[in-house]
Amino acid sequence: MPKEQLVKSRQRVADHGEVFTPRWLVDDMLDLVKSETERIDSRFLEPACGSGNFLVPVLERKLNAVRQRHGRSEFEKQHYALFALMCIYGIELLPDNAAECRENLKGTFARFLSPTEQWLRAADAVLAANIVQGDALKMMDAAGQPIVFPEWGYLGRGRYQRRDFRYDSLTQRAAASEGLFAHFEEHEIFTPVETYPVMTVQEIAA
């Protein structure tokens, strides 16, 4: 079994403090919130996601839950697998790491489904929105704009809903409630910056 690469270069450690977490430690940490990692609709945000050392194992656990609960229906298995991917979020300062994280998550999704090109394009669209290159402390993306994350919902029958929220608003909301995207009400001050029409996989992939 090949040894895990925990450091890309000494210079990156010096410049950015970049050291990756070994898989055994990731698994131990995720076991502390095991029930959440096995919920398809639980949302995980890694504010320094690197190449996906935490997010890939979370997705693997979610996909295992998809297999157990929806494996008998190919239609439901596919749609819930995409929804599991939709519930994974990351912020990464370095562009090469952000790109690797998207590819690693996409690869995990692809190995689970053996998807068609359309499903892969849909996964790309989701990951482009969910894995953001930016600064989690400043809450700004690489272009200097406020980080925005989509809240994806699966409505059943192959239909998804997307609402976008500013990350800085979500963190304020989370400080006073149960977590990101928890119990949003229409009358609350933390309203979406954009709400999209209900979409199918074909429309997400377009």
Side-chain angles (χ1 to χ4, degrees):
M1 184 175 180
K3 186 177 179 181
E4 283 187 274
Q5 183 184 13
L6 303 181
V7 173
K8 286 189 174 180
S9 74
R10 292 183 180 180
Q11 190 62 49
R12 288 168 71 107
V13 174
D15 291 345
H16 305 291
E18 179 188 71
V19 178
F20 298 109
T21 309
R23 179 62 186 253
W24 68 266
L25 182 55
V26 170
D27 287 334
D28 282 353
M29 294 173 72
L30 293 180
D31 283 343
L32 297 174
V33 288
K34 188 172 187 291
S35 61
E36 288 298 308
T37 66
E38 294 172 350
R39 274 181 50 210
I40 299 168
D41 64 345
S42 63
R43 302 176 197 275
F44 280 78
L45 167 65
E46 171 55 56
C49 65
S51 57
N53 287 36
F54 273 93
L55 296 183
V56 166
V58 171
L59 181 59
E60 289 172 348
R61 292 177 181 221
K62 285 176 170 289
L63 293 176
N64 187 54
V66 170
R67 179 183 291 109
Q68 291 178 0
R69 295 168 197 171
H70 304 286
R72 293 185 178 181
S73 166
E74 190 64 22
F75 180 88
E76 294 297 336
K77 177 184 172 184
Q78 289 175 325
H79 284 86
Y80 274 102
L82 185 62
F83 183 46
L85 186 67
M86 289 171 166
C87 293
I88 301 288
Y89 299 87
I91 304 170
E92 171 54 37
L93 186 64
L94 301 177
D96 61 334
N97 282 346
E100 283 182 28
C101 184
R102 295 186 195 103
E103 284 302 311
N104 289 336
L105 288 166
K106 179 182 175 181
T108 301
F109 174 79
R111 285 189 295 275
F112 178 76
L113 277 190
S114 299
T116 64
E117 187 62 32
Q118 178 175 273
W119 283 90
L120 289 176
R121 290 199 308 271
D124 282 334
V126 169
L127 291 168
N130 282 29
I131 307 300
V132 175
Q133 185 202 344
D135 189 323
L137 295 178
K138 296 178 180 178
M139 302 188 189
M140 307 293 281
D141 65 20
Q145 299 299 312
I147 291 174
V148 172
F149 280 123
E151 176 203 34
W152 300 94
Y154 182 48
L155 307 179
R157 298 184 179 181
R159 298 171 303 142
Y160 298 92
Q161 177 71 68
R162 173 179 172 175
R163 301 190 300 169
D164 288 356
F165 293 86
R166 279 181 51 156
Y167 177 50
D168 53 3
S169 293
L170 292 174
T171 55
Q172 293 172 35
R173 173 75 174 125
S177 69
E178 299 172 22
L180 298 184
F181 305 117
H183 302 303
F184 279 95
E185 300 292 343
E186 292 302 322
H187 66 275
E188 293 183 8
I189 189 170
F190 299 104
T191 54
V193 296
E194 187 167 359
T195 299
Y196 296 76
V198 173
M199 294 179 282
T200 63
V201 170
Q202 182 178 9
E203 290 165 330
I204 295 170

